[in-house]
Amino acid sequence: MPFDLSTLSPTVLLTAAIYVGLAGIYLLVVPGLLYVYLNQRWYVAGSVERLLIYAVVFVFFPGMLVLSPLLNFRPKRREV
């Protein structure tokens, strides 16, 4: 018996869409924005800001792992 999406109720489809949307936000969108913020503020953040950044990184750690192979945060070359 093949699976047919038309047999599912709209409530089930809406619930699945909400879960997929929230997972995408949790695993891709917020960690991507967090990486942009970290790249801009890493060397100038104060101690309280750095503590808050670490807390947010802890909360979104799975998404940070998903995006980590795509990013490179080597220090910028210094002018001598």
Side-chain angles (χ1 to χ4, degrees), residues 38-60:
L38 287 171
N39 198 17
Q40 292 175 353
R41 298 288 301 169
W42 188 257
Y43 295 106
V44 293
S47 59
V48 174
E49 182 182 4
R50 193 168 299 273
L51 180 68
L52 292 173
I53 288 172
Y54 291 154
V56 173
V57 166
F58 178 75
V59 170
F60 291 99

Side-chain angles (χ1 to χ4, degrees), residues 20-80:
V20 168
L22 288 175
I25 289 171
Y26 179 73
L27 291 174
L28 297 174
V29 175
V30 175
L33 294 173
L34 186 58
Y35 269 126
V36 170
Y37 183 77
L38 287 171
N39 198 17
Q40 292 175 353
R41 298 288 301 169
W42 188 257
Y43 295 106
V44 293
S47 59
V48 174
E49 182 182 4
R50 193 168 299 273
L51 180 68
L52 292 173
I53 288 172
Y54 291 154
V56 173
V57 166
F58 178 75
V59 170
F60 291 99
F61 188 72
M64 303 290 276
L65 284 178
V66 169
L67 293 179
S68 64
L70 306 174
L71 301 170
N72 181 5
F73 280 115
R74 290 185 184 155
K76 295 177 181 150
R77 179 167 274 207
R78 295 188 306 171
E79 305 267 337
V80 181

